[in-house]
Amino acid sequence: MHGTHQFWGVAARRFMPLTTGGGPRPGCARRKARPFRPMERLMFSAAARDDSPARRMHLFASRLIGPLRFLNPAALAKASAVNLRHRGAAVIRGKGSSRSCG
């Protein structure tokens, strides 16, 4: 049972590589990094704004949790809420400041 669970964790991770920057891999020709997928952008932006998604991102990048646990519905809901809260705060801040163009 443990072997099957481990296999699916490795197989799922293969389809969701975590690119954390850096340059091309040693021995490879110049390779352009692929753009982040929408789910990755959601999780990265939430991790930059709140501790809970940041902790989850750390656990995933350290390979302490797999992709299925990293992207479970509760984590995606939390990340969405964090990003919406941040977006709402930016809109409220933007209304208070008015600049004159003349």
Side-chain angles (χ1 to χ4, degrees), residues 5-28:
H5 176 72
Q6 186 177 9
F7 168 77
W8 285 114
V10 172
R13 193 175 290 276
R14 177 176 172 223
F15 291 106
M16 192 186 136
L18 180 66
T19 53
T20 55
R25 293 182 183 158
C28 294

Side-chain angles (χ1 to χ4, degrees), residues 43 46-48 50-59:
M43 296 303 284
D50 193 58
D51 287 339
S52 176
R55 198 172 310 113
R56 183 172 290 277
M57 179 68 69
H58 165 73
L59 292 172

Side-chain angles (χ1 to χ4, degrees), residues 16-98:
M16 192 186 136
L18 180 66
T19 53
T20 55
R25 293 182 183 158
C28 294
R30 288 188 178 196
R31 193 185 328 201
K32 204 173 177 185
R34 67 167 177 78
F36 287 121
R37 294 184 177 116
M39 294 267 196
E40 291 171 335
R41 281 199 317 262
L42 174 76
M43 296 303 284
F44 272 108
S45 62
R49 295 177 175 133
D50 193 58
D51 287 339
S52 176
R55 198 172 310 113
R56 183 172 290 277
M57 179 68 69
H58 165 73
L59 292 172
F60 177 70
S62 300
R63 295 182 174 231
L64 298 172
I65 61 173
L68 298 177
R69 190 165 169 201
F70 176 63
L71 292 175
N72 71 18
L76 294 175
K78 170 76 174 179
S80 297
V82 166
N83 288 332
L84 286 174
R85 188 174 349 121
H86 182 267
R87 181 178 173 190
V91 169
I92 291 170
R93 278 194 305 258
K95 286 183 179 179
S97 64
S98 61

